[in-house]
Amino acid sequence: MLLLIWKDVKNIISDKRILTVILMMPIILMSILGFSLRDVFSDEGSGVQHFEIAVVKEYDHDSEIIRYRELLDSMNIDLADAMPDPEEIFFNDFLGNTQLLQMMSYTIVDRARGEKLLAEDKISALIILPENFIFNTMMNFTFSRNKVTLEVVKNSDSQTAAGVVEQIMGQFSNMMNRVVVRRITLLPYLMDADNLSDIPMEELLFPSEEAELSLAVKEVSGKESWNSFQYYAVAMMAMFTLYAAGFGGRALIEEKDKFTLQRLKVAGKNLELTVLSNFCRVAIIVILQSIIMIAYSLLVLGVDFGNLSNMVLPVLANAISISTLGMLISVITLVSGSYAFANVFEYGIVNLMALVGGSFIPIQILPKVLQTAHLYSISGISLDLFLNAIAGEPLSAHIPYLVNLLIMDLLFAGCAWIILIVKKRKGGVLV
Amino acid sequence: MIAYILFKIKKYKTILPTTIVTSILTLIFIYVFGVGFSQQYIPEVAIVDDDRTVTSTAIIKQLMENKNYSFREENYDIAKKSLEGKKIVGIVYFDRGFEQSLTAGQCKVTLYKNGVNIEIINLENSLKQYISDAVSDNSFPGEAARYLKVDENTIRSQFEENRTGYVTYQVESGFYEKEGASFNMFKNSFAGFILFFSMFTIMFGIGSIVEEKEVYVWQRQMVSPLSTATILFGDLFSNFVVSMLQMTAVILLSKALFHIEWGGSTLAVLLVLGAYVLAGTALGLFVTCFVKTQQQLGAILPTIIVSTSMIGGTMWPREVMNNAILLNISNLLPQRWAMKGLLEVIMYNGEVKDVVLPILYLLIITAVLMLASLKPYRRVA
C-alpha cells in the first residue's frame, strides 16, 4: 500500500507542469485576491479607490444673492446677513470635508464639459446644482419652502463610486431637508420673538452632532469574529481544494488508458488498493495546497489566522472529505470509461458547491434555500470549520460540522465501493 | 474545411451528456440569481432598549421609520437567539445610562453582529448617521424652547409633524446616456456568474483537442494536407456553433421557465455572447498549445478561468481593484468586455449599437489569441 502511495506521489512530482499548477494555483489566486481587493477588505477602506467627480453650477451666484436681498428688503425683513451662503455650505462644509476629500476630488465645469468627461470615463459622476439653487436655498433658510432638485449623472463604468456620490448627495439633501423642517417649526415663534438678533439662528437650524457618537460593534457570541479578508482567504481555500477532487477523479482512468492499472493488477495489486492510494494522493495534494495558502496568506497578505494549531483539524477534515469525494469521482469516471463525469464535476459541480458553500458570496445574502444547502456542501462545512478555527472556537464547536463531514465521507466511500462491486460482478472494470 | 467542421461538430455528440449537465447547472445559477434574488430583501434588525428613557424611546421611534431596514423592538434574550440563528442581521443595543451619557457628551450604543456580511457592514456605516440624526433632532425642541422661551412639548409636537411631512430637497440620479436605467446588484452578479460558468463550458469543448493529442489524432492531422490555420479555424468554428447553440438554448429556456428579464435586445445579448464564445474558444486553443494531457488541462483550466474571471470583473466591479497592473491586464481579457457588453443590454436596456465596442474588443482578443496559437501548433507539426 505504501509503495502504491509512493508511486502516486512520484507520479505527481515527475509531472512538473501539474506540480507547478497545483502548488502555484492557490498562490496566484490569493495574490489576485489580496492585491486587487486589499482596500475593500481593510477596515479603513471605503471599498472604492479615490475617484474624480465634476460639479456643474447652473445657478448665477451673485445675481441670485442680490435677488434674495432685494426681496427681503422689500418685505422689511432683516435676516439676509444672518444666513450662511449655500455655496459655502456645499463646497466648503460639505464637499470640503476632509473625509470626503480623501475619497474623491472634484472640479467645477460647465454641463457640456462634464458630459464630455463622463463619456471619456474621466469622472465617476457629475453633480448638477440647478438654476436658482442659491436663491431657493436662501429662501428655504428664511421663510419659504422652494423645491430644489439636485441631479447626479452617473458613469455606468464606475457603478460603485457613482453609487457613493449618489449616497453622499442623499446625505446633503437629508441635511438640507432637516434645516427646512427646523426653520418651518421655528417660523411662527420667530415672528413673535422680541429680538431676533439674540437668537443663534445658524446654531438652531443646522443640525450638529450633539455627542461624540461611539458605536461599539461586538460579536453576539462575545468573541472576536473574523474580518472580510480572513473570510475570503479561507473561502478561497475551501473552493480551490475542491479542484483536487477533480484532479484525483481523472487519475484512475488515465492510469487505465496508459495500462498502468492493468499492470498493477497483473502485479497482484487489487483495484481497491489503487483506489485507496488515489485517495491518499488527493489528501496529500489538499494538505499541501492548504499549507501553501495559509502560509502565503499569513506571510505575504498579512491575514491573521489566530492560533495556527486550530487550523490543523479543519484542514485534515477537509482533506479527508475532498479525497473521499475524489475517490467516488475517480470510480465513476473509471467505470464509465470517459472523462465526462470528472469534467462535469470540475467545470460545473465544484462551482455550484463553492457558490452554495459561500466561497463566492457570503452565505447570509444568498436565498434561503441555498443557505440550507450550505450545510450539505463540503466547501460550506469546511468554510464554517475554518472560520470557527480563526475565531478560536473550542473543539466542541467543531463537532456538528465534523459529524456532517463524516456522514458525507461514509456516503461517498460507500457509493464508490458499491459501484466497484457492481461493476466487478458485471464483468470487471479494466475491460 | 467544411467537411472538417462537420466532422468536429459530429464529434460533439460524445460530450452531449456533459453539455446537457453543464447547461442544467447554468440554468440553476440563473434561477438562483434571477429568481432567488428577485424578491426585495429588507434586512431585519432588532432594537433592545435597556435605557427606557424619553430620549431612547424617541430615537427608537425614528429608527423604526427607516425603510432600508426592518427594525423591531425586542428583549435582549430573544434578539440574541434570533441573531445566533441568523434570522436577523444585528442588534442595536441602547445601554442603561444612554440618555445620561448624551449629557456627558457621549453616546452609549452597541451594535451586536454575528460574523461578517454585507448587510452588517452597510448597517454599521449608516447606523451612526441614523442615530446621530435622531439624537440631534431629539435635542432640537429643547434648545429652541430655551432660546424662544416657549413650551418645549409644543415645539416637539410641531417638529414631529413637520419632520414627516416636508421634502424640499431631493436628488434625481441616472446613468449618463442610459435613460431610465438603474444599477441592480443582482443583475450585475447574474451577468458575472453567467460569464464565469459559461467559460468552463467553452473551455471544456475546446479541451477535446488535448484528448486528440493524447491519442495522436491531432499529430496525424498536423501532417495531413490540411493547413494549421484550417484545423484551428475548424476547431474554433465548431466549438463556436456548439457553444452558441447551448447558450441560446439556455437563454430561451431561462426566459420560458423563469421569465428572466434579459434587458433591451436579445440579438445584442446573443452577439455579445457569440463574441465571448469566440474569444473564450481562442483562449482555450491557446492554452491547449501548452498542455499535453487531460490531467494537465484539468489542473490548469480552473486557475486560468477563475483568475481571469476575478480580474475581468465578473466577481466584483473592476473599479474596486487598486492595482494598476491588474486593471491593465483586465483590459486584455474576454470577461472584461463581455461583462461590459452584457451589462449594457441586461442592466441598461442597450441595443446592438451599444455593444459594438465590447464586441470589437472581443474579436480583437480572438484574432490575437488565434494568431498566437498558430506558431506553437506549427512547431508541433
Side-chain angles (χ1 to χ4, degrees):
Chain A
M1 179 68 189
L2 280 175
L3 281 174
L4 267 179
I5 297 170
W6 180 234
K7 176 214 58 140
D8 285 338
V9 171
K10 278 174 83 176
N11 211 355
I12 305 171
I13 296 168
S14 66
D15 192 336
K16 297 284 184 290
R17 287 188 197 195
I18 290 186
L19 187 69
T20 311
V21 170
I22 286 173
L23 300 183
M24 288 301 289
M25 180 168 78
I27 290 181
I28 292 169
L29 290 156
M30 290 301 296
S31 302
I32 291 172
L33 195 74
F35 293 118
S36 59
L37 300 180
R38 184 176 283 276
D39 274 8
V40 181
F41 290 162
S42 75
D43 291 339
E44 295 80 25
S46 62
V48 204
Q49 300 310 301
H50 186 91
F51 58 89
E52 302 284 332
I53 62 163
V55 183
V56 177
K57 295 180 189 179
E58 290 202 324
Y59 56 81
D60 182 339
H61 178 267
D62 294 344
S63 74
E64 286 180 28
I65 290 273
I66 291 168
R67 188 148 60 99
Y68 168 72
R69 282 173 188 277
E70 283 173 355
L71 185 69
L72 256 64
D73 285 346
S74 70
M75 296 166 82
N76 284 327
I77 298 173
D78 186 23
L79 263 177
D81 292 330
M83 295 303 162
D85 184 340
E87 196 167 58
E88 273 180 29
I89 295 175
F90 184 77
F91 288 100
N92 296 351
D93 301 345
F94 188 70
L95 285 188
N97 175 302
T98 324
Q99 265 184 317
L100 282 191
L101 284 177
Q102 276 171 358
M103 197 193 297
M104 63 187 200
S105 314
Y106 72 88
T107 43
I108 296 169
V109 293
D110 59 41
R111 192 186 264 264
R113 171 80 184 138
E115 288 183 347
K116 192 165 179 269
L117 290 171
L118 273 175
E120 290 169 354
D121 279 345
K122 287 187 176 155
I123 53 171
S124 299
L126 182 67
I127 295 172
I128 298 166
L129 301 175
E131 198 181 342
N132 292 326
F133 171 70
I134 301 290
F135 177 78
N136 286 336
T137 301
M138 296 294 281
M139 291 297 283
N140 286 336
F141 287 167
T142 39
F143 57 83
S144 185
R145 202 181 133 233
N146 297 351
K147 279 252 176 203
V148 177
T149 304
L150 307 157
E151 205 182 331
V152 178
V153 187
K154 299 183 286 182
N155 182 345
S156 59
D157 265 357
S158 312
Q159 288 150 352
T160 316
V164 170
V165 177
E166 195 179 2
Q167 212 177 345
I168 287 169
M169 287 307 289
Q171 283 171 8
F172 178 74
S173 139
N174 176 44
M175 184 190 82
M176 297 305 276
N177 279 325
R178 292 170 66 217
V179 171
V180 175
V181 168
R182 285 170 182 227
R183 199 266 308 145
I184 289 168
T185 309
L186 293 181
L187 194 62
Y189 304 100
L190 292 174
M191 295 293 191
D192 299 337
D194 297 333
N195 197 350
L196 274 178
S197 57
D198 288 346
I199 299 167
M201 286 301 293
E202 200 171 330
E203 198 182 306
L204 277 179
L205 288 184
F206 288 89
S208 61
E209 284 181 16
E210 296 292 316
E212 181 74 20
L213 182 63
S214 57
L215 182 70
V217 182
K218 289 182 184 170
E219 269 298 307
V220 71
S221 59
K223 288 172 188 145
E224 273 305 301
S225 174
W226 25 269
N227 58 35
S228 308
F229 220 153
Q230 289 169 320
Y231 180 91
Y232 274 102
V234 289
M236 285 293 128
M237 191 158 88
M239 176 181 167
F240 282 104
T241 49
L242 272 177
Y243 286 114
F247 174 79
R250 289 196 188 84
L252 292 185
I253 194 169
E254 195 160 276
E255 292 198 337
K256 182 189 166 191
D257 288 348
K258 288 177 180 170
F259 299 100
T260 311
L261 277 188
Q262 291 83 337
R263 284 196 290 270
L264 282 170
K265 194 182 178 190
V266 171
K269 302 288 177 195
N270 66 34
L271 192 59
E272 285 79 357
L273 274 181
T274 315
V275 171
L276 273 179
S277 165
N278 187 39
F279 166 90
C280 296
R281 166 165 46 187
V282 177
I284 291 168
I285 292 171
V286 173
I287 292 168
L288 273 178
Q289 282 188 322
S290 304
I291 291 171
I292 288 171
M293 287 183 100
I294 292 171
Y296 187 74
S297 316
L298 186 76
L299 301 173
V300 181
L301 304 175
V303 176
D304 180 12
F305 285 90
N307 185 348
L308 272 180
S309 63
N310 289 344
M311 293 297 286
V312 174
L313 184 63
V315 165
L316 287 177
N318 182 47
I320 291 169
S321 295
I322 287 175
S323 312
T324 323
L325 180 62
M327 188 165 79
L328 175 63
I329 296 160
S330 68
V331 169
I332 297 175
T333 310
L334 179 68
V335 165
S336 67
S338 147
Y339 284 91
F341 188 77
N343 288 336
V344 167
F345 173 79
E346 195 159 87
Y347 301 153
I349 296 170
V350 166
N351 299 311
L352 189 64
M353 287 172 82
L355 175 75
V356 170
S359 289
F360 293 128
I361 305 171
I363 194 73
Q364 287 85 353
I365 59 168
L366 289 175
K368 286 276 177 213
V369 62
L370 287 188
Q371 292 187 24
T372 314
H374 164 81
L375 298 170
Y376 303 98
S377 148
I378 293 180
S379 59
I381 302 169
S382 297
L383 179 56
D384 283 346
L385 273 173
F386 293 143
L387 291 171
N388 272 354
I390 287 176
E393 294 284 355
L395 190 65
S396 58
H398 293 336
I399 288 173
Y401 301 104
L402 292 173
V403 170
N404 258 5
L405 283 182
L406 185 65
I407 292 169
M408 280 190 207
D409 295 348
L410 292 172
L411 191 72
F412 294 148
C415 288
W417 185 72
I418 291 167
I419 292 169
L420 271 184
I421 297 287
V422 170
K423 187 67 185 174
K424 270 185 172 180
R425 281 187 188 160
K426 281 188 176 175
V429 177
L430 302 180
V431 287
Chain B
M1 163 81 97
I2 292 168
Y4 181 73
I5 291 169
L6 286 173
F7 162 72
K8 294 293 284 189
I9 291 174
K10 273 184 190 169
K11 260 198 80 183
Y12 274 87
K13 74 177 179 203
T14 57
I15 59 163
L16 194 61
T18 317
T19 312
I20 291 171
V21 173
T22 50
S23 303
I24 292 169
L25 283 169
T26 311
L27 281 170
I28 292 173
F29 279 101
I30 290 174
Y31 175 77
V32 170
F33 284 93
V35 181
F37 281 128
S38 61
Q39 292 138 353
Q40 205 189 4
Y41 168 58
I42 298 175
E44 291 182 35
V45 181
I47 298 176
V48 177
D49 183 12
D50 269 359
D51 192 43
R52 303 221 165 265
T53 54
V54 178
T55 312
S56 67
T57 312
I59 289 169
I60 288 167
K61 194 179 155 214
Q62 283 194 40
L63 283 178
M64 298 273 206
E65 290 165 12
N66 191 291
K67 290 186 175 66
N68 295 326
Y69 295 90
S70 168
F71 286 103
R72 61 168 191 252
E73 216 177 331
E74 272 175 352
N75 76 45
Y76 182 74
D77 291 334
I78 295 174
K80 186 171 181 250
K81 218 172 237 178
S82 300
L83 183 56
E84 281 168 348
K86 300 201 169 169
K87 287 177 184 154
I88 55 173
V89 296
I91 304 170
V92 182
Y93 179 71
F94 289 83
D95 205 351
R96 253 175 230 156
F98 165 75
E99 190 181 57
Q100 259 187 331
S101 73
L102 288 180
T103 53
Q106 292 170 337
C107 180
K108 283 172 80 177
V109 181
T110 306
L111 172 66
Y112 285 101
K113 62 187 179 86
N114 185 2
V116 178
N117 57 56
I118 198 144
E119 281 89 5
I120 201 75
I121 295 167
N122 289 340
L123 179 63
E124 197 180 321
N125 290 334
S126 41
L127 196 62
K128 267 189 184 180
Q129 189 64 46
Y130 296 157
I131 297 176
S132 172
D133 287 357
V135 168
S136 168
D137 283 352
N138 187 55
S139 63
F140 164 74
E143 278 175 45
R146 201 169 64 244
Y147 285 114
L148 296 167
K149 297 180 181 64
V150 288
D151 177 42
E152 181 184 333
N153 287 335
T154 318
I155 293 192
R156 188 175 291 280
S157 65
Q158 279 172 357
F159 179 60
E160 282 301 313
E161 199 180 307
N162 293 336
R163 206 166 55 78
T164 48
Y166 287 97
V167 177
T168 310
Y169 287 81
Q170 60 183 24
V171 179
E172 276 181 5
S173 63
F175 287 100
Y176 177 61
E177 289 190 334
K178 291 175 177 68
E179 212 166 299
S182 60
F183 177 72
N184 182 322
M185 190 189 89
F186 299 125
K187 277 191 177 177
N188 193 73
S189 307
F190 169 56
F193 281 114
I194 287 285
L195 294 176
F196 173 56
F197 292 113
S198 59
M199 190 56 109
F200 278 94
T201 319
I202 297 164
M203 292 275 208
F204 168 71
I206 206 70
S208 63
I209 291 176
V210 178
E211 197 182 337
E212 289 177 352
K213 275 185 184 178
E214 281 186 293
V215 291
Y216 297 99
V217 170
W218 178 260
Q219 289 82 344
R220 285 197 286 272
Q221 280 174 0
M222 282 292 166
V223 292
S224 74
L226 288 169
S227 70
T228 313
T230 304
I231 295 168
L232 287 181
F233 183 77
D235 282 317
L236 179 87
F237 190 76
S238 56
N239 195 53
F240 170 77
V241 171
V242 174
S243 299
M244 271 316 285
L245 282 175
Q246 189 199 8
M247 289 260 200
T248 312
V250 165
I251 289 174
L252 295 178
L253 278 171
S254 68
K255 269 192 162 182
L257 295 176
F258 313 133
H259 309 292
I260 293 288
E261 188 52 64
W262 282 90
S265 156
T266 306
L267 177 65
V269 170
L270 288 174
L271 286 174
V272 172
L273 290 179
Y276 180 62
V277 169
L278 279 176
T281 310
L283 180 62
L285 268 178
F286 183 67
V287 172
T288 56
C289 296
F290 307 100
V291 294
K292 289 178 179 166
T293 64
Q294 295 261 7
Q295 276 287 47
Q296 288 175 354
L297 187 72
I300 202 167
L301 273 191
T303 314
I304 291 173
I305 295 173
V306 178
S307 55
T308 52
S309 298
M310 279 177 173
I311 304 171
T314 65
M315 296 191 183
W316 47 71
R318 277 175 73 251
E319 58 181 308
V320 304
M321 296 197 290
N322 63 352
N323 190 299
I325 298 169
L326 290 179
L327 279 170
N328 285 326
I329 291 173
S330 84
N331 283 327
L332 307 174
L333 300 173
Q335 287 94 331
R336 187 266 188 273
W337 297 107
M339 189 72 186
K340 185 173 169 57
L342 210 53
L343 288 182
E344 284 288 343
V345 187
I346 68 168
M347 183 111 72
Y348 307 118
N349 299 319
E351 299 295 324
V352 174
K353 66 178 170 49
D354 300 309
V355 295
V356 170
L357 189 70
I359 289 175
L360 192 65
Y361 275 110
L362 285 167
L363 294 178
I364 291 171
I365 291 169
T366 308
V368 170
L369 288 170
M370 284 292 287
L371 287 173
S373 306
L374 276 174
K375 203 175 174 187
Y377 276 119
R378 278 193 180 132
R379 205 182 303 135
V380 171

